[in-house]
Amino acid sequence: MASVEIKNVRKSYGSVDTIHGVSVGVSDGDFVVLVGPSGCGKSTLLRMIAGLEEITGGEILIGDRVINDVEPKHRDIAMVFQNYALYPHMTIAQNMGFSLRLARKSKDEIDQRVKDAARILGLTDYLERFPKQLSGGQRQRVAMGRAIVRNPQVFLFDEPLSNLDAKLRVQMRTELKDLHARLKTTTIYVTHDQIEAMTMADKIVVMRDGVVEQFGEPLELYDRPANRFVAGFIGSPSMNFLDGTVVVRDGKQMFESANHTVLPLPEGLDRAFEGKKLIMGFRPEHLQVSEAPEVFEVTVSVVEPTGAETYFVGNANGDTITGVLRDRIAIASGQSLRLLPRLNAIHLFDAETEQRVN
Amino acid sequence: MSIPSNSAPQSGSSKWNRKRKLTDWAIDGFLILFGVMMVLPLLMLVANAFKTPQELVSWPPTFIPNNPTLDNLTAVLNDTPLLLWMFNSFAFATLSTIAILATSAIAGYVLGKFKYRSLNIIFLIILATAIVPFEVYMIPLYFQVQSLGMLNSLWGLLIGYLVMSFGIFLIRQNVIHSVPDELLEAARIDGAGELWIFFFIVVPLLRSALGALAVLAFFQAWTAFAWPLIVATTRESYTIEVGLALFQTGFTVDLGKLSAASAIVLIPSVTLFVLLRKNFVEGVAGTGLKE
Ligand SMILES: Nc1ncnc2c1ncn2[C@@H]1O[C@H](COP(=O)(O)OP(=O)(O)OP(=O)(O)O)[C@@H](O)[C@H]1O
Ligand SMILES: [Mg+2]
């Protein structure tokens, strides 16, 4: 096990820059998830750590060794690919033992370690089969087994669950987390599924267009997103955003949206923001029914009861509002609700820089 | 094939069933007809090898010899070094196949998987040479072989048949189609060197394509005529193809002996095809590697 230190790493393909100076410190034993929309450079970053892509600028350290110019096989890492990349002409046992065979381990040791990994992953009965004789979930497990047997310093995963169906994905998510709890190997895991990120990670790196937007613990990202992008990316359904300005009514700071809905603001906002354009964000699950004078008058258009919660989409003064209500309120399309976001769950972002201001 | 359109109206599914059956029969009939047309000359050739001279020229021709004889076969084997020629051809074709497999596998893999701009240019050049007929550069090549002092030898023959542009093309396409990058990357991370990857990952994944190429390469050399004709000109260095051709003019015009010799020559070809048939069909009909 080892820490991974990514220092101001850049990547260009020819004249096209795809990663613009990323710095992330992964502590020994952490499970760090890289998330971000498609094309933001998650795979590229992971592949640079693996040694499959050259590092254009900056440094990557595994432990205290700079590995920029170290060959993949000497980096002591294992990688699991999205499409598993199992060797089709080798049995499961041979697939899992391949790296040990290359490392010239004795046959007994290979057998033993393959058997151990197979037992952990529930693959014992499949060792003599070929990859094409296994289901998707089993193949995924073999791919993990191939990584486990080597007992590497770092595990790298590139969207390992995205080829599985929804149910299996949830199951494998739990298994992977469990595995990490047992092995405690430093893990860097790429996904574009923010729920996967939230549920599995010790820390999350949110990337966009080749830069890190925020690096922190899952709940930190949820509670205090550093900017509008992270706020919108983390959480499902996504956060509501309203453009507007800070106004002062009766000596109190209020938020007036572009469509002239006036809402209360948490106290203690810097007076410098008065009169400035801001973006207000609040999560659907933080909306509450309220009798206060200043509220959203939401005319509900779509209602989706899930049993535990009720999702709805409505319109307030021309702004589309998504909401989730825990209580089973009987609401119907066309009905109007008086709603307010919880004051301590209001996020304010600068309209220009989109950075958090409160 | 047309379906009687005035048949009484029936329930949709049985009508459709009948239509499909008729189509199947039509396809079968068509294929059988063509199969027979292709095989008949070969069967005739084998039959002729066992006929007496009189029967050979009799009209109408018989299919099963009336009084089968082995005279033709023994005469051919005694009068000419037929077995030596076959050996020459066999050695030539085998070595050429090995060389073509090796060059195609390496070049095809490199061209298919390694991304350097210069490789694209090389690939274009290879494609270009594929459309230049061998006969065009056969003569310059002949002089090179001559200056190397390799005329009338197996090595001289081989020089024209070491590389096959189509083979490189075939393997390159197969590499692109059936050797995913991730597999090579996984192997690199697992600690495999490039040679290891080539021999233990790439080659096994290409086996059906290489099998198909082996058949093509073998028969290309086995049936080569112009090149062996100019390079191997002594009676002992003939390949079977050249030997058979000279049969008709140089030694004898005996149709029976020619048939007998040809029938013998068929044996290795047919054997090899039967052995490699599965590979051949798979490799040519799009690589069967789905996994
Ligand atoms: N070989 C390459 N040549 C040029 N550009 C590339 C190359 N590989 C990736 N890119 C570019 O780099 C950027 C990041 O790609 P990357 O594969 O890392 O995205 P990603 O975050 O993994 O996306 P996804 O979620 O779709 O897998 C993309 O804009 C992509 O077009
Ligand atoms: Mg990716």
Side-chain angles (χ1 to χ4, degrees):
Chain A
M1 276 174 277
S3 59
V4 177
E5 186 76 32
I6 300 166
K7 286 187 186 166
N8 197 19
V9 160
R10 288 181 297 105
K11 174 73 190 176
S12 332
Y13 292 104
S15 59
V16 188
D17 292 348
T18 55
I19 305 236
H20 319 275
V22 164
S23 297
V24 172
V26 178
S27 314
D28 191 358
D30 261 5
F31 195 114
V32 168
V33 175
L34 299 179
V35 271
S38 190
C40 70
K42 308 178 293 286
S43 299
T44 307
L45 187 58
L46 196 75
R47 291 165 56 81
M48 285 195 284
I49 302 171
L52 299 173
E53 298 280 353
E54 250 176 71
I55 301 166
T56 312
E59 275 185 345
I60 298 180
L61 288 85
I62 295 180
D64 44 19
R65 185 165 66 128
V66 177
I67 45 93
N68 284 38
D69 298 320
V70 178
E71 272 188 75
K73 60 178 167 185
H74 295 134
R75 292 189 182 196
D76 205 1
I77 44 144
M79 182 154 168
V80 175
F81 294 84
Q82 179 172 356
N83 56 5
Y84 322 135
L86 302 180
Y87 310 119
H89 55 294
M90 298 184 196
T91 64
I92 301 312
Q94 287 168 341
N95 260 283
M96 289 180 24
F98 187 60
S99 60
L100 299 177
R101 199 169 128 216
L102 288 169
R104 294 177 207 276
K105 299 275 189 255
S106 75
K107 203 173 168 310
D108 290 344
E109 186 184 349
I110 297 177
D111 276 356
Q112 194 52 48
R113 279 163 75 169
V114 167
K115 277 208 188 96
D116 288 347
R119 190 167 32 73
I120 293 176
L121 295 164
L123 289 169
T124 310
D125 296 340
Y126 304 108
L127 285 177
E128 293 317 312
R129 294 209 197 165
F130 286 92
K132 63 166 172 276
Q133 298 166 313
L134 299 186
S135 73
Q138 290 163 341
R139 282 181 217 180
Q140 182 54 57
R141 263 183 281 233
V142 176
M144 287 196 290
R146 207 166 57 177
I148 291 174
V149 289
R150 303 179 49 190
N151 193 18
Q153 302 268 12
V154 182
F155 283 141
L156 304 175
F157 292 91
D158 193 354
E159 311 210 18
L161 306 185
S162 58
N163 283 357
L164 303 178
D165 66 53
K167 200 169 167 198
L168 197 55
R169 197 147 60 208
V170 175
Q171 183 194 333
M172 292 299 292
R173 208 153 80 191
T174 323
E175 283 185 25
L176 253 171
K177 229 182 136 173
D178 185 45
L179 197 66
H180 179 252
R182 271 192 278 175
L183 302 176
K184 303 233 166 26
T185 307
T186 312
T187 302
I188 302 180
Y189 184 104
V190 165
T191 177
H192 57 247
D193 178 349
Q194 56 99 11
I195 299 192
E196 228 167 87
M198 292 296 282
T199 52
M200 300 176 81
D202 292 321
K203 285 199 173 164
I204 297 179
V205 180
V206 182
M207 290 183 65
R208 176 172 59 160
D209 293 343
V211 297
V212 174
E213 294 285 350
Q214 192 169 3
F215 176 42
E217 288 170 19
L219 292 183
E220 200 179 319
L221 266 58
Y222 178 86
D223 292 336
R224 288 189 60 81
N227 52 51
R228 186 194 153 140
F229 175 76
V230 176
F233 192 79
I234 300 288
S236 168
S238 303
M239 192 182 273
N240 295 295
F241 294 106
L242 291 182
D243 290 325
T245 44
V246 178
V247 295
V248 180
R249 295 277 154 88
D250 305 331
K252 281 181 73 178
Q253 289 176 327
M254 304 288 265
F255 183 84
E256 182 174 356
S257 83
N259 291 328
H260 305 295
T261 309
V262 177
L263 297 165
L265 280 178
E267 284 181 22
L269 185 66
D270 195 324
R271 299 207 52 176
F273 290 109
E274 286 171 12
K276 277 188 84 174
K277 281 201 158 64
L278 291 183
I279 301 165
M280 176 196 245
F282 54 88
R283 297 194 183 278
E285 55 270 36
H286 294 145
L287 276 175
Q288 295 169 323
V289 178
S290 166
E291 294 306 322
E294 294 99 358
V295 289
F296 282 118
E297 290 272 358
V298 180
T299 310
V300 175
S301 52
V302 181
V303 183
E304 296 173 352
T306 64
E309 301 163 325
T310 307
Y311 290 64
F312 65 86
V313 179
N315 187 305
N317 246 354
D319 293 310
T320 303
I321 305 287
T322 313
V324 180
L325 291 175
R326 290 286 137 83
D327 325 299
R328 251 196 223 183
I329 306 181
I331 39 175
S333 177
Q335 193 179 339
S336 122
L337 289 172
R338 292 170 66 80
L339 297 169
L340 263 190
R342 260 174 31 205
L343 272 188
N344 61 357
I346 285 177
H347 311 271
L348 292 171
F349 306 101
D350 188 302
E352 256 164 48
T353 64
E354 303 202 334
Q355 295 301 307
R356 182 181 194 90
V357 299
N358 70 328
Chain B
M1 191 63 226
S2 73
I3 308 296
S5 55
N6 56 351
S7 65
Q10 293 177 339
S11 77
S13 82
S14 86
K15 194 173 171 184
W16 184 76
N17 255 338
R18 223 178 56 177
K19 190 169 166 178
R20 203 176 65 171
K21 237 181 224 158
L22 283 172
T23 318
D24 282 354
W25 283 343
I27 292 173
D28 285 353
F30 198 69
L31 291 179
I32 288 172
L33 190 70
F34 259 87
V36 169
M37 277 169 61
M38 304 288 283
V39 173
L40 206 57
L42 291 181
L43 292 180
M44 220 42 206
L45 177 80
V46 174
N48 283 350
F50 297 97
K51 287 178 189 169
T52 55
Q54 294 79 5
E55 197 179 345
L56 263 173
V57 291
S58 71
W59 191 263
T62 50
F63 191 65
I64 312 249
N66 285 330
N67 15 353
T69 167
L70 290 177
D71 286 355
N72 294 324
L73 288 176
T74 47
V76 158
L77 291 174
N78 289 334
D79 296 352
T80 65
L82 190 74
L83 291 179
L84 177 65
W85 295 345
M86 276 178 75
F87 172 80
N88 287 343
S89 274
F90 188 77
F92 168 48
T94 305
L95 291 176
S96 156
T97 303
I98 292 170
I100 285 175
L101 285 186
T103 52
S104 301
I106 294 168
Y109 170 55
V110 170
L111 291 171
K113 276 298 163 201
F114 292 80
K115 285 167 188 69
Y116 300 103
R117 199 162 307 155
S118 51
L119 287 180
N120 289 336
I121 297 166
I122 292 176
F123 183 58
L124 280 179
I125 293 173
I126 290 174
L127 278 188
T129 63
I131 57 170
V132 179
F134 179 62
E135 284 71 13
V136 170
Y137 54 88
M138 187 167 77
I139 301 307
L141 199 61
Y142 170 82
F143 286 116
Q144 278 180 25
V145 171
Q146 189 184 38
S147 66
L148 288 170
M150 288 187 187
L151 288 180
N152 299 320
S153 79
L154 192 54
W155 311 117
L157 277 177
L158 265 180
I159 280 183
Y161 283 80
L162 292 175
V163 182
M164 181 171 165
S165 313
F166 173 74
I168 296 175
F169 175 73
L170 179 78
I171 298 301
R172 175 183 178 270
Q173 298 312 98
N174 265 275
V175 163
I176 290 173
H177 183 271
S178 59
V179 182
D181 284 341
E182 282 88 351
L183 221 52
L184 308 179
E185 291 173 345
R188 264 172 218 142
I189 291 178
D190 270 351
E194 296 302 317
L195 275 181
W196 243 90
I197 292 177
F198 180 72
F199 284 112
F200 292 93
I201 310 275
V202 176
V203 170
L205 289 180
L206 292 177
R207 43 172 205 279
S208 51
L210 288 173
L213 182 59
V215 175
L216 291 178
F218 189 88
F219 285 118
Q220 174 188 263
W222 185 260
T223 59
F225 180 68
W227 177 249
L229 182 69
I230 62 168
V231 173
T233 48
T234 59
R235 199 163 182 256
E236 283 69 39
S237 66
Y238 283 165
T239 61
I240 190 69
E241 199 72 13
V242 177
L244 281 184
L246 296 181
F247 239 85
Q248 309 171 40
T249 52
F251 298 99
T252 168
V253 283
D254 189 331
L255 207 54
K257 281 185 189 163
L258 180 60
S259 300
S262 305
I264 296 171
V265 172
L266 273 180
I267 295 170
S269 315
V270 171
T271 313
L272 192 70
F273 183 76
V274 168
L275 289 179
L276 292 177
R277 191 190 55 198
K278 193 159 163 284
N279 284 332
F280 187 74
V281 174
E282 267 182 21
V284 170
T287 65
L289 280 167
K290 281 277 147 44
E291 285 299 324

